[in-house]
Amino acid sequence: MIKRLTGLFVLFGLITVNAQQPGEDEMGSWFMYFGMNKVSERLSVHTEAQFRFYETTNNFNQMLLRTGLNYHISENAIATGGYAFIDTDNTFFEFDGEINSKEHRVFEQFILKNKVWEFLFEHRYRLEQRFLDFGRTTETQHRARYRIQMTLPLTNTFFLNFYDELFINLQDDLFGQNRLYGAVGVNITENSSVQLGYLRNQFANAVYDRLQFAVFYNPDLRGLFNKKKP
């Protein structure tokens, strides 16, 4: 009986290991920059760059470049339309002749902000039209995303940031992924900050752990566009 139970446990362990996706047990990393560049009272330009790795400092996974035009409806409501380019290595292992997938993405989003006691909440609703090129085949996909974010100021300099974001496919399987994030942030200047955090990225058949380092810089560029008086 003991031998049979031992065999069952060993078999279960092998099945569990084999069920893992390649790289799932590695701590990967994302290095990110975000900018909101104000150009008028109502308009700002979103700029963004992300570099993602399967492992902490190597093994390239993805590069994402995104931009968009923000319309500030009010202090607590922003509508955005934009474009992103994504270059993705879809495999954890490196081998000769592998082809990265390329994606051209159009997106529309709406952000609402509110405050409850000392907690700052942000609700982001986003629709994406994704045009994917896998090298030998192409595909068009549509996706909806919802993110709830909470920021808690600790002092004028330090803060905590948390969010949960759900991805919903608008074709095939409904569930796309879920991202759960927590970070410590530091306000460097009035319009710049950095965050160091941890992301748990869950897919239908895999869960990935990622360290994140993000830089935020939101300059006011209205002076560059105002005509100088003679």
Side-chain angles (χ1 to χ4, degrees):
M1 177 62 73
I2 295 176
K3 290 183 178 180
R4 290 182 180 179
L5 288 175
T6 303
L8 286 174
F9 280 119
V10 171
L11 180 60
F12 177 76
L14 290 173
I15 292 173
T16 302
V17 170
N18 290 332
Q20 281 192 311
Q21 297 298 314
E24 191 176 354
D25 56 349
E26 297 287 343
M27 178 65 77
S29 59
W30 293 9
F31 299 92
M32 305 175 293
Y33 153 81
F34 301 93
M36 183 181 289
N37 309 273
K38 199 155 191 180
V39 295
S40 72
E41 188 63 29
R42 294 285 187 183
L43 298 177
S44 66
V45 177
H46 175 82
T47 51
E48 178 180 343
Q50 298 191 32
F51 298 91
R52 301 172 178 176
F53 298 88
Y54 284 112
E55 298 173 87
T56 307
T57 57
N58 60 11
N59 199 345
F60 172 79
N61 173 207
Q62 189 175 78
M63 177 189 73
L64 183 151
L65 304 174
R66 180 159 36 215
T67 189
L69 183 63
N70 302 313
Y71 180 72
H72 297 255
I73 301 168
S74 69
E75 185 179 354
N76 296 315
I78 305 172
T80 305
Y83 164 81
F85 171 76
I86 300 97
D87 180 8
T88 304
D89 180 348
N90 294 292
T91 61
F92 174 79
F93 300 108
E94 300 290 334
F95 56 90
D96 293 336
E98 64 177 327
I99 300 174
N100 288 3
S101 67
K102 304 291 192 296
E103 177 182 347
H104 299 276
R105 183 185 302 174
V106 178
F107 72 95
E108 306 82 35
Q109 75 178 27
F110 183 60
I111 289 176
L112 282 175
K113 300 179 181 180
N114 67 293
K115 184 177 180 180
V116 180
W117 298 305
E118 295 301 316
F119 298 94
L120 307 175
F121 287 92
E122 180 183 284
H123 307 266
R124 189 178 75 183
Y125 308 85
R126 179 182 288 178
L127 290 174
E128 296 177 333
Q129 299 81 51
R130 310 174 63 202
F131 305 95
L132 298 128
D133 183 351
F134 297 104
R136 296 180 178 85
T137 61
T138 59
E139 191 174 325
T140 300
Q141 298 181 5
H142 301 272
R143 186 166 68 184
R145 299 165 58 170
Y146 168 68
R147 186 186 75 182
I148 180 169
Q149 177 175 266
M150 183 190 73
T151 303
L152 175 62
L154 300 176
T155 67
N156 290 333
T157 302
F158 296 97
F159 61 91
L160 300 177
N161 191 37
F162 306 93
Y163 73 69
D164 187 78
E165 184 170 20
L166 178 64
F167 292 61
I168 298 296
N169 296 321
L170 302 182
Q171 67 284 308
D172 302 328
D173 297 330
L174 191 64
F175 177 76
Q177 59 180 285
N178 190 81
R179 295 177 180 174
L180 183 63
Y181 171 79
V184 175
V186 179
N187 292 313
I188 299 174
T189 66
E190 186 178 354
N191 60 7
S192 64
S193 64
V194 296
Q195 291 184 28
L196 179 63
Y198 161 76
L199 176 78
R200 183 176 175 82
N201 199 177
Q202 180 177 357
F203 294 85
N205 60 348
V207 178
Y208 296 98
D209 299 301
R210 297 292 182 256
L211 293 175
Q212 290 199 351
F213 179 74
V215 176
F216 297 80
Y217 181 51
N218 304 315
D220 189 337
L221 303 179
R222 285 177 292 181
L224 299 177
F225 295 90
N226 293 335
K227 294 183 180 179
K228 295 182 178 179
K229 294 182 180 180

